[in-house]
Amino acid sequence: QKMIFTTLPRPVFAPPYEPIPGNVRFYYDGKQMKLSPEAEEVATFFAKMLDHEYTTKDIFRKNFFKDWRKEMTPEEKAKITDLSKCNFTEMSVYFKAQSEARKQMSKDEKLENERVLQEYGFCVMDNHKERIANFRIEPPGLFRGRGDHPKMGMLKRRIRPEDVIVNCSKDSKHPKPPPGTKWKEVRHDNKVTWLVSWNENIQGSIKYIMLNPSSRIKGEKDWQKYETARRLKKCVDRIRNQYREDWKSKEMRIRQRAVALYFIDKLALRAGNEKEEGETADTVGCCSLRVEHINLYPEKDGQEFVVEFDFLGKDSIRYYNKVPVEKRVYKNVQLFMENKQPEDDLFDRLNTSILNKHLQELMDGLTAKVFRTYNASITLQQQLKELTNPDENVPAKILSYNRANRAVAILCNHQRAPPKTFEKSMQTLQTKIDAKKDQLSDARRELKSAKADAKVRRDEKSKRAVEAKKKAVERIEEQLMKLEVQATDREENKQIALGTSKLNYLDPRISVAWCKKWEIPVEKIYNKTQREKFAWAIDMADDDYEF
DNA sequence: CGTTTTACTTAGCAATAAACGT
DNA sequence: ACGTTTATTGCTAAGTAAAACG
């Protein structure tokens, strides 16, 4: 079905551990101590993170210490019994110096990186040379879970060739394992797209090496995704009418299904699969919402029937929203919450599997996540129509584009931590704007006097001078406008990440068509990587493309 | 059929590269 | 040319959903 012929390079393994020099010491309880290489390596993982907040967290320290002790010799184990008595600062200083040094002599390293990329970064699939996304096998280190993860700090083990499964066609010559080693398995499964896999020891999940988003196989999949969303567009009215009817159903499971679907559609919530308790951070999506995540207000801030959501979603990003809903939805949620404890499931008769089976019956290929894609893309299209002003210049139009993009990011709750340097960078930008304003008033004054001069002299030379000054004023006005637009854009973007929606939710043909329609170079919207990923769309869409 | 496993997409942050101002 | 700021790329965790299993 998928792979026909593949020439696959060997995955790049993490470099072997290099012991630190003897003058970089570790202290336990104030006394210097030479660690065995195994224990030392794990210690360096911790030392490298010393500046990070992780190392102050109890769970992180506890998990790290437990796993570290496993790597110690019996003597070390007997001696090192308290993490707070460990002093890693010399190691930490050493690694900081190392990375500083690496920055300096990066000329050769850049060349070396390029060589590694050329040798290991590409494979041939279906006679096309394709870029591999992650051709380096993940190095050992300490697990950094997001949010309140019970496993943070655990030791992520080193992956050896014996852990690795290689997948390629039978007739292709598979890559040789490094000398003196063996692969775990060489597989020929052309029903899947991964090239290499291994088992990870923290969650027990499988990790894969796959192709870059620019590859044919990923591009086609991406295109299909948006085609499914466009098919939803054609029947979404029918589906909405259907779930509104189902709010009145006699059956609880149908009412729950209908209300959940309404939230997924209206608020672009994720499906919310069940998760194993205690294995991951406690986060939820729509189907896994609990009573404690919801508050109901018959009336709030002048609106009736308000549902307040407050929960941690994917990556432990908080979702907080107050939404006025139809009375019928409100009454249903009230019903679902009756006689329940805060930690009980809101939708106790529903899960993602039940919901998706229902959706499959409503439309071929329909699942909960299609609503997110559909609503994101249709919102972009609408917003672009609304916000683009034909009379404005290119930077202003791009601001409008970013605003449309931002509306989607807000809908999808794509947040980011405000950049550490945000306030400062806003300030420098403001300084620039002020300087530009001064420059502009100077230029205007000069223009005025040039005009006066020309009026008196009435010669060609002074006329040309007026023209030149006029040009200068216009140029500065444009520069000022650009800066002001930039400031607005940045301010509005403080806590919002545009990248995720741009890359994963917005049909790129909408953006390409918009660029063509308003004669905006597509490079203003998509950088090089993005243009490679969306090559199919840039190729395909005309200025009149409708999602 | 419920549970587990597998395969793939989506996600934010960190590291690195490029652009910018001096 | 250099140091600083901003944009891009890399990394890998954390989701969704379907297949496989018992």
Side-chain angles (χ1 to χ4, degrees):
Chain A
Q1 174 215 346
K2 280 159 184 169
M3 283 188 292
I4 297 186
F5 184 82
T6 307
T7 335
L8 183 63
R10 171 156 72 67
V12 176
F13 288 90
Y17 176 62
E18 268 189 52
I20 52 175
N23 63 336
V24 180
R25 288 154 304 184
F26 166 76
Y27 300 90
Y28 184 73
D29 207 7
K31 290 185 276 292
Q32 193 208 324
M33 187 176 169
K34 176 75 188 160
L35 296 171
S36 65
E38 291 77 12
E40 185 189 271
E41 181 180 8
V42 179
T44 64
F45 298 154
F46 194 85
K48 282 177 182 167
M49 293 180 69
L50 227 47
D51 287 341
H52 206 288
E53 201 201 334
Y54 273 119
T55 58
T56 65
K57 294 187 177 177
D58 261 6
I59 299 175
F60 188 94
R61 296 175 68 89
K62 192 183 120 274
N63 287 333
F64 160 72
F65 196 55
K66 188 174 165 206
D67 280 2
W68 187 27
R69 281 175 61 78
K70 289 181 201 158
E71 302 300 313
M72 291 178 188
T73 63
E75 295 74 40
E76 287 167 338
K77 219 168 172 169
K79 201 161 172 190
I80 303 172
T81 55
D82 183 355
L83 180 56
S84 62
K85 290 181 179 166
C86 294
N87 181 342
F88 302 96
T89 42
E90 283 193 17
M91 290 183 179
S92 173
V93 168
Y94 170 71
F95 289 120
K96 263 184 232 162
Q98 286 264 298
S99 69
E100 274 311 304
R102 204 145 25 86
K103 268 181 216 157
Q104 301 308 313
M105 49 167 276
S106 66
K107 282 268 161 58
D108 288 351
E109 293 213 348
K110 237 187 261 175
L111 241 63
E112 171 64 9
N113 277 349
E114 183 57 27
R115 195 191 63 74
V116 173
L117 173 66
Q118 290 306 322
E119 185 170 354
Y120 299 102
F122 295 84
C123 83
V124 180
M125 188 184 282
D126 302 341
N127 288 319
H128 282 290
K129 187 174 174 184
E130 305 270 31
R131 178 89 185 267
I132 299 169
N134 52 327
F135 58 89
R136 291 173 202 274
I137 287 180
E138 294 174 21
L142 304 182
F143 177 74
R144 303 151 88 117
R146 317 268 173 86
D148 238 332
H149 198 116
K151 297 193 173 185
M152 61 167 76
M154 283 173 65
L155 176 63
K156 210 169 83 165
R157 70 174 224 281
R158 179 179 291 275
I159 304 302
R160 304 152 303 140
E162 288 75 11
D163 301 312
V164 162
I165 304 174
V166 164
N167 186 40
C168 58
S169 305
K170 260 196 197 107
D171 47 358
S172 66
K173 38 181 186 171
H174 67 263
K176 286 196 185 61
T181 66
K182 281 193 198 128
W183 299 127
K184 180 179 180 183
E185 185 189 336
V186 177
R187 194 177 288 182
H188 308 293
D189 183 352
N190 66 357
K191 300 286 181 292
V192 297
T193 66
W194 56 269
L195 311 169
V196 170
S197 76
W198 69 88
N199 276 275
E200 163 269 352
N201 67 304
I202 305 290
Q203 320 265 11
S205 65
I206 308 169
K207 299 270 191 165
Y208 302 95
I209 292 182
M210 293 187 193
L211 291 186
N212 197 71
S214 62
S215 62
R216 194 221 83 216
I217 207 162
K218 293 287 184 191
E220 267 175 18
K221 209 64 192 300
D222 209 32
W223 174 56
Q224 266 183 31
K225 174 179 79 183
Y226 292 112
E227 288 307 300
T228 306
R230 292 175 86 198
R231 282 195 289 119
L232 174 57
K233 185 190 179 192
K234 289 187 191 146
C235 62
V236 73
D237 290 337
R238 189 192 90 221
I239 290 171
R240 285 172 176 161
N241 289 334
Q242 158 95 258
Y243 68 58
R244 298 173 68 87
E245 278 303 307
D246 287 346
W247 292 342
K248 302 181 251 176
S249 170
K250 301 185 295 295
E251 286 188 75
M252 185 60 113
R253 58 173 192 99
I254 290 175
R255 285 194 186 208
Q256 291 195 358
R257 198 179 67 190
V259 170
L261 184 52
Y262 167 75
F263 288 154
I264 285 170
D265 182 21
K266 185 182 174 71
L267 306 173
L269 300 188
R270 296 190 184 82
N273 284 318
E274 291 112 305
K275 310 169 69 184
E276 218 174 329
E277 208 178 328
E279 295 290 299
T280 61
D282 178 20
T283 63
V284 297
C286 185
C287 293
S288 51
L289 280 168
R290 298 191 297 261
V291 170
E292 60 194 320
H293 299 129
I294 301 286
N295 273 309
L296 295 178
Y297 302 96
E299 198 256 299
K300 187 164 175 114
D301 307 328
Q303 290 174 309
E304 276 191 312
F305 307 122
V306 173
V307 182
E308 181 185 53
F309 294 82
D310 191 353
F311 61 90
L312 297 181
K314 182 177 180 177
D315 292 315
S316 295
I317 298 292
R318 185 179 180 205
Y319 183 93
Y320 180 79
N321 202 359
K322 276 178 290 192
V323 198
V325 299
E326 269 104 323
K327 181 173 182 183
R328 203 157 249 141
V329 171
Y330 186 90
K331 291 287 169 195
N332 269 315
V333 175
Q334 217 166 31
L335 177 68
F336 305 156
M337 290 168 82
E338 250 170 40
N339 302 317
K340 281 187 190 170
Q341 299 298 307
E343 63 276 15
D344 289 340
D345 286 340
L346 177 68
F347 300 114
D348 54 300
R349 304 288 174 84
L350 183 71
N351 60 40
T352 54
S353 161
I354 294 170
L355 178 62
N356 281 334
K357 268 189 197 111
H358 172 64
L359 293 176
Q360 196 59 242
E361 286 166 13
L362 297 180
M363 185 194 105
D364 183 44
L366 186 60
T367 62
K369 83 199 258 294
V370 178
F371 282 87
R372 245 168 106 81
T373 312
Y374 161 71
N375 279 308
S377 288
I378 201 77
T379 301
L380 179 76
Q381 190 170 78
Q382 279 165 194
Q383 288 290 304
L384 284 176
K385 252 185 209 146
E386 233 169 85
L387 299 175
T388 310
N389 180 348
D391 305 327
E392 284 178 331
N393 61 11
V394 171
K397 285 206 180 82
I398 291 169
L399 176 63
S400 300
Y401 179 90
N402 286 338
R403 283 188 164 145
N405 191 166
R406 197 145 44 234
V408 176
I410 289 166
L411 175 71
C412 294
N413 200 39
H414 291 142
Q415 298 189 29
R416 64 167 184 174
K420 295 237 187 311
T421 55
F422 184 83
E423 292 307 329
K424 210 177 86 187
S425 85
M426 263 339 259
Q427 212 136 39
T428 40
L429 190 54
Q430 192 53 52
T431 312
K432 265 197 216 170
I433 289 174
D434 294 344
K436 194 55 79 179
K437 278 181 179 163
D438 289 347
Q439 199 187 337
L440 181 60
S441 54
D442 286 352
R444 282 191 177 138
R445 197 169 329 110
E446 281 180 38
L447 172 60
K448 213 171 173 183
S449 73
K451 271 182 180 164
D453 197 39
K455 214 170 185 177
V456 179
R457 296 201 186 190
R458 298 185 170 278
D459 65 349
E460 272 307 305
K461 196 179 163 197
S462 51
K463 259 189 200 167
R464 277 202 302 276
V466 170
E467 283 311 305
K469 297 286 177 199
K470 217 181 245 174
K471 278 265 164 62
V473 166
E474 278 167 18
R475 208 182 59 234
I476 295 163
E477 274 175 340
E478 190 157 325
Q479 286 168 345
L480 176 62
M481 147 88 164
K482 256 190 191 169
L483 287 172
E484 281 175 333
V485 159
Q486 201 186 347
T488 313
D489 209 25
R490 194 181 293 176
E491 184 66 51
E492 290 177 358
N493 244 6
K494 185 176 180 181
Q495 307 207 58
I496 296 162
L498 300 188
T500 303
S501 52
K502 202 175 193 178
L503 235 50
N504 300 300
Y505 288 102
L506 301 176
D507 183 342
R509 291 169 294 185
I510 298 170
S511 301
V512 171
W514 180 85
C515 284
K516 288 191 175 159
K517 183 167 179 190
W518 301 108
E519 296 178 325
I520 312 262
V522 79
E523 298 81 44
K524 300 274 184 191
I525 298 298
Y526 292 136
N527 68 31
K528 185 167 140 283
T529 317
Q530 296 170 156
R531 291 197 301 276
E532 280 166 11
K533 168 167 172 156
F534 297 133
W536 60 271
I538 294 171
D539 231 38
M540 194 186 278
D542 291 323
D543 61 353
D544 59 349
Y545 175 77
E546 270 268 338
F547 173 74

